[in-house]
Amino acid sequence: MAKKNQTLGEFIIENQASFKYTSGELSRLINSIRLAAKVVNHEVNKAGLVDIIGAAGETNIQGEDQQKLDVYANDKFIQTLTNRNIVCGIASEEEDDFIVVNSQDENHQNKYVVLIDPLDGSSNIDVNVSVGTIFSIYRRVTPVGTPVSKEDFLQKGSEQVAAGYVVYGTSTMLVYTTGDGVNGFTLNPAIGTFYLSHPNMEFPEDGKIYSVNEGNYIHFPIGVKKYIKYCQEEEGDRPYTSRYIGSLVSDFHRNMIKGGIYMYPKSSKNSNGKLRLLYECNPMAFLAEQANGKASDGFNRIMDVQPTELHQRIPFFCGSKNMVEKAEEFMKENS
Ligand code: AHM
Ligand code: MG
């Protein structure tokens, strides 16, 4: 039972027994993500100071090398997950290939792999707009004790055991699911503790917000163009409101609370859209479904897609159920 104001640490312990496989390993893993999120949050919040204490590629007054924040976030998450020795493999949007953890040690019993987009929407950092971290967790399919291989990462989204995001916004929140609903925790920066602030988050079935980069309009498929026109039509509860931050985590977070749809369709410029199936779409799809929403590539359920490449891209339609279904209707009629 989610109790408001419970700390994330308490919540993890209390809910450990409800995980499908209880060994404490998944709890430890989520605890590490919590820790890395706090470290990255601290750095993201200082982003504006970089100009004063030294820009990326330079050395700051303490003699430390300044890093770009997305590189920093990538390093911190990977370090935390490998140091605590609780995963057997990591794949990151920032890395070309997956990372094998613990391959030297035959006795290691770690069962989970983590896929991560350490700092999504990072083009927003320079202008003080929210960014996020997205993570996705699977049980490995190859035998425990052997080095992980690509097939451990190329699993359908429906195999995820947990997924979540951290949004570094006006306040910092960690929102995640282990397949039993979605809960959101807000960081109290003064004491560095996440508190359960948003128990059992759910998308309203209908919404009035559509989020899409309309600058790409002329390149969109006809179904998307018609759906956008439908959103803008004066009829019933329409026109809808257009809201697009350009930071998937923030756009998703707002739409989950208020009701809305996020779209990154394919276009005549990008035949598979922009977003990555493994690091962005699958975890968001798992959260959406756990929150009563829906995620689709315009025709099919995102989490049913069999991945073939680590950095595969896919068109993405995600949010309030009725809105996603309406967009799918337009896609089908015009395909
Ligand atoms: P990134 O992983 O390079 O940060 O790109 C992903 C981001 C999403 O957060 C956001 O929704 C989208 O790219 C915005 O793209 P665009 O600027 O083309 O609208
Ligand atoms: Mg990204």
Side-chain angles (χ1 to χ4, degrees):
M1 231 335 249
K3 284 184 237 120
K4 225 172 167 175
N5 293 330
Q6 206 172 22
T7 69
L8 175 54
E10 289 162 1
F11 180 88
I12 292 172
I13 293 166
E14 202 175 296
N15 288 276
Q16 186 174 308
S18 67
F19 296 151
K20 228 172 39 210
Y21 316 94
T22 321
S23 66
E25 199 178 325
L26 185 59
S27 298
R28 289 204 301 281
L29 178 40
I30 291 169
N31 260 319
S32 312
I33 290 174
R34 171 183 70 158
L35 174 66
K38 284 196 262 188
V39 175
V40 170
N41 172 66
H42 183 68
E43 207 63 21
V44 167
N45 275 306
K46 291 191 304 192
L49 290 169
V50 167
D51 283 344
I52 304 167
I53 59 177
E58 290 174 10
T59 304
N60 68 12
I61 41 173
Q62 283 92 31
E64 299 159 335
D65 282 337
Q66 286 290 308
Q67 282 178 316
K68 282 187 68 184
L69 268 178
D70 41 8
V71 178
Y72 178 87
N74 187 48
D75 291 351
K76 281 298 157 209
F77 275 97
I78 291 174
Q79 251 173 40
T80 312
L81 292 169
T82 45
N83 286 354
R84 293 188 154 199
N85 198 7
I86 38 173
V87 291
C88 48
I90 304 166
S92 163
E93 202 192 271
E94 295 283 332
E95 306 279 335
D96 291 339
D97 209 349
F98 61 86
I99 297 166
V100 182
V101 180
N102 247 343
S103 61
Q104 311 305 324
D105 174 8
E106 282 175 16
N107 297 319
H108 75 92
Q109 294 298 307
N110 299 343
K111 293 184 288 291
Y112 294 103
V113 294
V114 175
L115 293 89
I116 191 153
D117 183 352
L119 211 59
D120 184 66
S122 49
S123 64
N124 277 322
I125 289 178
D126 294 346
V127 289
N128 214 344
V129 172
S130 303
V131 289
T133 296
I134 308 172
F135 61 91
S136 168
I137 300 171
Y138 294 83
R139 283 173 75 86
R140 63 183 303 175
V141 290
T142 53
V144 171
T146 62
V148 281
S149 68
K150 209 168 180 179
E151 59 185 301
D152 294 311
F153 298 94
L154 297 183
Q155 299 189 52
K156 287 185 186 170
S158 54
E159 298 298 320
Q160 287 172 104
V161 292
Y165 59 78
V166 184
V167 54
Y168 310 98
T170 38
S171 55
T172 293
M173 281 189 72
L174 194 154
V175 175
Y176 80 102
T177 181
T178 52
D180 187 24
V182 176
N183 291 288
F185 300 81
T186 303
L187 180 67
N188 178 341
I191 50 177
T193 303
F194 282 102
Y195 288 95
L196 181 59
S197 51
H198 296 64
N200 308 314
M201 297 180 83
E202 285 194 350
F203 274 95
E205 258 194 305
D206 263 309
K208 290 187 173 192
I209 297 173
Y210 71 102
S211 314
V212 63
N213 186 343
E214 276 183 82
N216 296 326
Y217 185 87
I218 54 160
H219 301 287
F220 286 152
I222 189 88
V224 174
K225 284 183 177 163
K226 288 197 173 167
Y227 178 68
I228 292 175
K229 285 296 159 217
Y230 167 88
C231 293
Q232 297 170 343
E233 241 165 49
E234 186 94 42
E235 206 186 312
D237 61 348
R238 285 172 286 140
Y240 297 153
T241 296
S242 163
R243 288 281 182 276
Y244 188 70
I245 297 170
S247 212
L248 171 62
V249 169
S250 316
D251 280 310
F252 178 100
H253 187 75
R254 181 205 52 240
N255 289 352
M256 177 158 64
I257 292 171
K258 297 200 165 177
I261 183 172
Y262 172 96
M263 299 183 279
Y264 210 108
K266 72 171 188 178
S267 71
S268 49
K269 289 189 297 186
N270 305 316
S271 58
N272 291 312
K274 174 185 183 189
L275 301 184
R276 321 267 180 157
L277 174 59
L278 296 182
Y279 310 107
E280 291 159 333
C281 302
N282 270 336
M284 292 321 229
F286 190 24
L287 287 160
E289 288 194 10
Q290 284 295 317
N292 245 340
K294 199 168 172 168
S296 149
D297 66 359
F299 302 94
N300 301 300
R301 183 182 182 226
I302 284 288
M303 292 206 289
D304 284 339
V305 175
Q306 176 60 57
T308 52
E309 288 300 326
L310 280 178
H311 293 281
Q312 186 172 340
R313 296 174 199 266
I314 193 164
F316 194 50
F317 298 74
C318 178
S320 292
K321 205 181 262 165
N322 293 345
M323 296 183 89
V324 174
E325 281 169 6
K326 194 75 192 170
E328 283 179 323
E329 244 175 75
F330 277 95
M331 292 302 286
K332 269 182 208 119
E333 275 167 22
N334 296 283
S335 66

